[in-house]
Amino acid sequence: MDRPSPLDTCPAQLTQLVEKALGRQIASVDHVPPGLDSRRFYRLGLAGKALPSTLIARVDPNPGAGSDLEPIRALFARHDLPVPGRLASARGIELLEDLGDESLEQLAHRRPAERRDELYAEACDLVPRIQSIPAPDQRGWDANLVADKARKW
């Protein structure tokens, strides 16, 4: 029995968004292991030689008012924190710059031992920068969102 290709299991809306927003075709689809909720991530290989050659698609099968990452991504970007670029979006889908899947630990092990401290210091320096960002005024306490996050944890 033939197994479906990853491209066959790719949501049609995702294919349409990539074609409309980037004028590109999807050449390959790799499923990124899921996290704690229903959102799914795909690493999309794009046809042709133009850059980017890959991107990450974040797909929320049940998009709600609080499912959009853009407010957080944009807030961090306004404060000069490193975030993936947002290439396009549609309801429940975001196309993001592919930053790879190498962890800080893996990256550190590829560095010479005497340079690892620099890398960890750079990562640790991000924590107080994030903590110093004032909370956006428009986002109040959302008891349903907190309960949903607590249930997932």
Side-chain angles (χ1 to χ4, degrees):
M1 177 161 91
D2 290 335
R3 298 178 80 193
S5 77
L7 197 52
D8 293 336
T9 63
C10 184
Q13 305 93 318
L14 186 52
T15 302
Q16 293 168 355
L17 180 60
V18 170
E19 290 175 0
K20 180 180 177 185
L22 304 175
R24 309 275 300 276
Q25 299 287 318
I26 297 173
S28 65
V29 177
D30 291 318
H31 295 265
V32 177
L36 296 175
D37 63 16
S38 63
R39 289 177 279 196
R40 296 295 173 250
F41 294 83
Y42 303 90
R43 177 168 280 119
L44 306 179
L46 302 178
K49 295 186 186 277
L51 294 176
S53 58
T54 63
L55 56 88
I56 296 295
R58 176 190 168 273
V59 179
D60 190 339
N62 303 305
S67 69
D68 186 14
L69 283 178
E70 181 54 21
I72 296 168
R73 196 203 68 75
L75 177 68
F76 282 13
R78 280 195 306 275
H79 289 273
D80 296 321
L81 288 160
V83 294
R86 186 181 198 198
L87 306 172
S89 67
R91 181 165 167 75
I93 300 173
E94 291 182 285
L95 301 180
L96 303 168
E97 175 185 11
D98 185 357
L99 301 178
D101 55 6
E102 187 174 37
S103 70
L104 178 61
E105 180 182 23
Q106 291 167 332
L107 183 59
H109 284 292
R110 287 192 311 113
R111 290 230 175 151
E114 64 274 3
R115 306 253 353 255
R116 286 185 193 144
D117 286 348
E118 295 170 19
L119 183 64
Y120 282 115
E122 183 181 341
C124 290
D125 286 345
L126 292 174
V127 174
R129 288 177 59 198
I130 292 169
Q131 291 173 330
S132 72
I133 296 173
D137 293 331
Q138 72 272 17
R139 185 160 185 170
W141 177 262
D142 184 338
N144 290 332
L145 179 62
V146 172
D148 185 53
K149 297 294 182 189
R151 181 183 55 77
K152 291 172 184 172
W153 279 92

